[in-house]
Amino acid sequence: MADKFPKLREDLKITRQVQQGETLFVVKDPETREYCSFSDVEMKLLRLMDGRRSAKEMASIFSERNPEYELDENDMSEFIASADKLNLLVKTAQERNVMLLERMRQERKSKLLSKKGSWMYKRFPIIDPHKFFTSIHPYTKWIFTWGFISVTFSMMVVAWIIVGMNFEEVLNGVISIYTFSAGAWWQYLTLWAIVLVVIGIHECGHGLTCHHYGGEVHEMGFLLLFFQPCLYANVSDAWTFPKKSDKLWVVFAGGYIEFVLGAIFTFIWALTYPGTLLNLISFQAMTVCGLSSVLFNFNPLIKLDGYYALCDYTEVPNLRQNSLDYVKYLVKTKVFGMQMEPMTVNHRLHRIYITYGVACTLYLMSMMTGIAVMLFNILWGAAKGFFGGILGFVALYFILKLIYSIVGRYPMGAYKFLRDYVKERQKMFKSPKFYVPALVLFLAISGYVVFGTKERTITSTFMLEPTQVISVRTKVDGIASLRIPADEFLGIVAGKVHEGMRVEEGDVVMFVRNDRIQELLAKTRSALIRAEEGIRSVSPGSDSAISAPLELEAARLAYEQAEESYDAQFVRATASGRLIATELVEGEHVSVNQELWQIVDPTSLQANVTLMERDFADVQQYLSVFGETGAQVSMSLPGEEDEFRGLVSSVTQAATREANQKVFQARCTFLPSEEGDYNLEFLRTGMSGKATIHIGEMSVRESIVRWAQGTFKGIF
């Protein structure tokens, strides 16, 4: 730059925009691909830099044209220096050489930072796709027509209707895929391949749309966001678009093309046979295209499509950082009363910054808490035995180091904030008005820890199991049916039996149809009728007078045996209670002595409460001192307000281990309701819920020591 006659570079791309009623100019440097914005007044100053005027002359001309502003030579010189720092002015040959060396140094530094950057948001540039988009754009212009949008939007609506009609099947499939609970290893390889392909097409959608509206895309690559592998396309040129709608189309293009792909794969999935390879791949692609866009890309709290769409819609650049800075400013000044340089914003930005800043802070805290809990659970499960504990601490060191590399600036920021706050308020901390109440509070907390007591409770889960199970078995073979036919002779009323049904001893709980028994009953009934008719027609003194009674007795005996077999088809309950555990299907063949039902008396149910090793000793000791009547239990089922009461009858060791600890079970019997506040009749075997065992009181100090002992024992 000539010291006396600065000149604005001619290769700069300048775009005029109107945001919130104010005129702005976005300037793009084609060499560094960096952007900056200027107000209308600042642009007027820049346009005066034509290489023929000095700072004094430009200040004089500007003041004449804009008498409402007072601008002298020093002010103009400072503005020229800032423009030169942004590389907006023409450089001399020597300055260009220096800038080239500086740019090479910055490129090496940026590559180094890409290796050491934050794992929360880390970019790895790979290719320059500008030539690719230029070559395919003439053949893809039809994509940006209202006809294409209308057709594809209709396809999406139909696809969502198909998903809604098969919602349960789709939900189960999605859970199976994303919880890795079913499927062969090659299915997850295809899922991973589909994810990469879909994300690649997604980013091409952004890049091609940006190119269509006049922008240039010179960077695509790999992105690591919250440990989630992604791809990205640098479409920063969209900032230079004068129309807000063009910017929003660039942002939404990736998600829109994903929805189009999702609709196509939904049709393929609905039209192919379940279990085929094409059906599986289509379902995976359908879920990827739907879930990734809805739950991830369009989340405005992550710096992806949803965030940039919100920035463009609200016309607030750098929304995330500005919101966080504004919330920090309010907390420091309004809550802690610290003195800071004022941050003045209008009422609209005030509402936007507070809303987004608070939401972003809470989201970030929940994400980091989730990551920390996940890593802790992995560490806790891997630490087994003494050497496992040592390895666990080694792993913990590296995990904490990783977490610090991610959020290390937050503890340091908190430390600096506390340091500045204490320094600013040191007079207050030294005054009796502060340290006397602080000393009283400290003594009160210390006294509570040393002398205070609290109820000793153990909270865990329980599962209902029967103390006695009675089997109901068949006496004949045949075809089983839950529909009971009526029989007036036996006094049986027609009906249908189902699991969970309350029955009394002797009630019919299954009908086993045996055609041979039916035929035998009819045959013996006919033989008995013939024998009765024959004995009435016999002549006294004849040979038939001796044989006919014997034949009648034999026919009657055969008929009674057939009746017994016929009655055996009606399977009856051998005890009163509820029917459980049938796996029979209507019309299934059963054999003799096959178990059909199990009968459980609800009053004989017991609750098995899971106890960890650190809690077993407390319960056992309490039972030995106070007896079984002392260890009371309160239990509740999920979604139910009623609480059931019971007593711990015994404690035994289970066959499993959890978190490197032995697992025990406390068997609990139910107490009858004294005030009718709960009913045991609807309880079923297999139900589970939350249980709290009450075992007296203990000091606060002892509870803290026990917690620490249990934690360290679990690690080692």
Side-chain angles (χ1 to χ4, degrees):
M1 178 193 73
D3 292 338
K4 296 184 178 181
F5 304 104
K7 182 179 181 180
L8 191 68
R9 287 170 49 188
E10 296 180 356
D11 61 336
L12 296 176
K13 182 179 179 180
I14 302 176
T15 306
R16 180 179 180 275
Q17 299 182 6
V18 178
Q19 295 183 4
Q20 303 178 33
E22 298 182 0
T23 301
L24 296 177
F25 292 86
V26 177
V27 180
K28 174 188 175 182
D29 185 348
E31 294 181 357
T32 61
R33 301 193 189 103
E34 294 180 348
Y35 307 82
C36 50
S37 62
F38 296 93
S39 65
D40 188 30
V41 174
E42 292 171 330
M43 183 52 60
K44 290 178 180 179
L45 293 174
L46 287 174
R47 294 191 186 281
L48 291 175
M49 301 178 191
D50 56 1
R52 298 191 299 270
R53 301 185 181 99
S54 64
K56 182 177 181 180
E57 293 172 336
M58 286 186 285
S60 176
I61 294 173
F62 180 82
S63 298
E64 291 178 2
R65 296 177 181 177
N66 304 274
E68 66 273 18
Y69 298 100
E70 296 181 0
L71 190 71
D72 57 19
E73 183 180 359
N74 292 332
D75 296 332
M76 191 66 201
S77 298
E78 291 180 1
F79 185 76
I80 293 172
S82 64
D84 184 51
K85 189 176 181 180
L86 293 173
N87 194 30
L88 301 180
L89 306 180
V90 175
K91 305 288 185 181
T92 63
Q94 182 179 1
E95 289 174 332
R96 286 196 298 270
N97 291 334
V98 173
M99 285 195 63
L100 179 61
L101 295 175
E102 178 66 18
R103 190 179 304 151
M104 294 173 62
R105 187 183 70 83
Q106 290 294 334
E107 289 179 355
R108 290 194 299 269
K109 182 179 179 181
S110 63
K111 290 181 179 179
L112 180 63
L113 289 176
S114 69
K115 297 179 181 179
K116 296 184 178 180
S118 171
W119 288 93
M120 299 288 286
Y121 190 85
K122 195 177 186 70
R123 285 185 173 187
F124 302 89
I126 298 178
I127 60 172
D128 183 346
H130 179 67
K131 292 183 179 180
F132 171 71
F133 290 138
T134 302
S135 63
I136 68 171
H137 180 254
Y139 307 101
T140 57
K141 290 183 178 180
W142 55 273
I143 296 177
F144 304 96
T145 62
W146 284 109
F148 175 81
I149 294 175
S150 301
V151 172
T152 52
F153 185 78
S154 301
M155 292 170 56
M156 294 179 204
V157 173
V158 176
W160 280 109
I161 292 175
I162 294 174
V163 172
M165 294 173 61
N166 302 273
F167 179 76
E168 186 174 353
E169 181 180 355
V170 172
L171 179 62
N172 293 333
V174 170
I175 294 175
S176 175
I177 290 175
Y178 290 96
T179 58
F180 301 95
S181 59
W185 60 270
W186 62 268
Q187 296 180 3
Y188 299 115
L189 289 181
T190 60
L191 177 64
W192 183 251
I194 290 170
V195 169
L196 292 179
V197 172
V198 169
I199 294 178
I201 297 175
H202 174 105
E203 297 305 327
C204 286
H206 289 305
L208 188 60
T209 306
C210 182
H211 186 89
H212 174 76
Y213 287 109
E216 295 181 357
V217 182
H218 289 279
E219 183 181 313
M220 287 185 70
F222 177 77
L223 170 67
L224 196 64
L225 182 64
F226 285 108
F227 300 101
Q228 172 73 27
C230 312
L231 300 176
Y232 77 94
N234 190 338
V235 291
S236 301
D237 252 21
W239 295 344
T240 65
F241 296 167
K243 293 183 179 180
K244 182 195 295 187
S245 59
D246 295 348
K247 299 178 184 179
L248 292 175
W249 271 119
V250 173
V251 173
F252 286 113
Y256 191 87
I257 198 66
E258 271 198 52
F259 281 136
V260 173
L261 291 175
I264 294 173
F265 282 112
T266 300
F267 298 149
I268 298 175
W269 169 74
L271 296 174
T272 53
Y273 288 105
T276 61
L277 179 61
L278 183 58
N279 183 269
L280 172 66
I281 293 177
S282 301
F283 184 82
Q284 290 179 335
M286 176 184 73
T287 56
V288 168
C289 293
L291 289 179
S292 63
S293 291
V294 175
L295 300 181
F296 197 67
N297 281 312
F298 290 150
N299 183 355
L301 301 177
I302 303 176
K303 293 185 71 174
L304 290 176
D305 298 353
Y307 169 76
Y308 294 111
L310 183 62
C311 290
D312 292 336
Y313 179 77
T314 58
E315 297 182 338
V316 179
N318 202 17
L319 174 61
R320 179 188 178 93
Q321 190 59 48
N322 290 342
S323 299
L324 294 177
D325 290 342
Y326 188 69
V327 170
K328 292 177 185 176
Y329 165 78
L330 292 180
V331 171
K332 290 181 179 180
T333 56
K334 304 299 182 181
V335 178
F336 293 95
M338 299 177 64
Q339 300 296 323
M340 295 184 64
E341 184 178 349
M343 290 182 64
T344 305
V345 297
N346 57 39
H347 182 66
R348 178 177 179 270
L349 286 180
H350 173 78
R351 289 186 290 107
I352 293 175
Y353 284 164
I354 288 182
T355 303
Y356 188 85
V358 172
C360 187
T361 301
L362 295 177
Y363 181 78
L364 183 61
M365 292 174 60
S366 64
M367 286 290 295
M368 296 312 305
T369 301
I371 293 174
V373 170
M374 178 188 68
L375 295 176
F376 179 78
N377 289 336
I378 294 174
L379 173 64
W380 187 279
K384 297 181 179 179
F386 179 77
F387 293 103
I390 295 177
L391 294 176
F393 275 114
V394 174
L396 178 62
Y397 167 76
F398 288 104
I399 290 173
L400 293 177
K401 188 175 180 180
L402 174 62
I403 294 177
Y404 181 79
S405 69
I406 297 173
V407 294
R409 61 183 181 274
Y410 298 107
M412 290 301 298
Y415 166 73
K416 292 179 181 178
F417 164 73
L418 291 176
R419 182 192 62 189
D420 296 340
Y421 181 73
V422 171
K423 184 177 180 180
E424 185 174 327
R425 300 282 177 164
Q426 57 182 339
K427 291 183 178 180
M428 181 191 72
F429 292 137
K430 293 180 180 180
S431 66
K433 292 182 178 180
F434 173 80
Y435 66 74
V436 171
L439 179 61
V440 173
L441 179 62
F442 173 76
L443 293 176
I445 295 176
S446 301
Y448 173 72
V449 171
V450 175
F451 303 105
T453 60
K454 62 187 294 289
E455 183 183 12
R456 172 61 170 147
T457 60
I458 299 173
T459 302
S460 184
T461 59
F462 74 89
M463 178 171 288
L464 298 181
E465 295 182 3
T467 56
Q468 182 180 10
V469 178
I470 301 173
S471 295
V472 179
R473 299 180 178 274
T474 60
K475 296 181 180 179
V476 297
D477 63 338
I479 305 301
S481 175
L482 298 175
R483 299 180 182 275
I484 311 301
D487 191 299
E488 295 182 3
F489 181 76
L490 297 177
I492 298 174
V493 181
K496 186 176 181 180
V497 184
H498 57 83
E499 186 171 1
M501 181 177 179
R502 174 78 185 189
V503 296
E504 301 296 333
E505 184 177 357
D507 289 348
V508 178
V509 295
M510 185 79 72
F511 178 70
V512 180
R513 180 178 179 82
N514 187 310
D515 292 336
R516 291 184 291 102
I517 294 177
Q518 303 280 348
E519 294 174 359
L520 179 61
L521 181 64
K523 184 178 180 180
T524 55
R525 182 185 293 114
S526 299
L528 179 59
I529 293 173
R530 288 195 301 271
E532 290 175 344
E533 292 176 350
I535 201 170
R536 286 195 295 268
S537 62
V538 68
S539 301
S542 63
D543 295 337
S544 299
I546 299 175
S547 61
L550 297 177
E551 292 176 358
L552 177 60
E553 185 63 26
R556 184 178 291 112
L557 181 60
Y559 180 68
E560 290 176 354
Q561 292 176 346
E563 277 188 325
E564 291 179 2
S565 298
Y566 175 79
D567 184 62
Q569 294 179 116
F570 295 90
V571 182
R572 300 177 184 274
T574 54
S576 299
R578 293 193 181 276
L579 299 175
I580 63 171
T582 180
E583 298 180 356
L584 291 177
V585 180
E586 184 78 19
E588 182 178 344
H589 183 273
V590 295
S591 57
V592 178
N593 203 35
Q594 179 175 338
E595 185 180 66
L596 301 179
W597 292 103
Q598 290 180 346
I599 299 179
V600 175
D601 185 355
T603 59
S604 68
L605 289 176
Q606 68 177 14
N608 288 341
V609 181
T610 302
L611 293 178
M612 303 306 292
E613 185 176 2
R614 56 179 177 267
D615 298 322
F616 163 73
D618 294 337
V619 177
Q620 192 78 330
Q621 180 182 5
Y622 193 84
L623 290 177
S624 63
V625 175
F626 296 97
E628 297 178 359
T629 57
Q632 296 194 4
V633 186
S634 56
M635 293 163 279
S636 61
L637 297 171
E640 298 289 339
E641 297 182 357
D642 294 339
E643 224 178 46
F644 305 95
R645 293 182 293 275
L647 296 175
V648 176
S649 58
S650 63
V651 181
T652 58
Q653 182 175 346
T656 58
R657 296 175 67 92
E658 292 182 12
N660 198 30
Q661 296 190 48
K662 296 178 181 178
V663 177
F664 296 82
Q665 284 187 340
R667 291 189 172 88
C668 307
T669 57
F670 288 96
L671 293 173
S673 175
E674 298 177 355
E675 301 177 357
D677 53 347
Y678 60 83
N679 184 10
L680 301 176
E681 283 294 322
F682 75 92
L683 296 180
R684 304 285 187 275
T685 298
M687 286 184 171
S688 59
K690 177 183 176 182
T692 302
I693 302 178
H694 305 269
I695 51 174
E697 293 184 346
M698 66 188 314
S699 66
V700 176
R701 172 181 52 82
E702 185 181 0
S703 67
I704 296 175
V705 173
R706 283 177 175 269
W707 173 83
Q709 290 176 342
T711 302
F712 282 99
K713 189 174 182 180
I715 294 177
F716 286 100

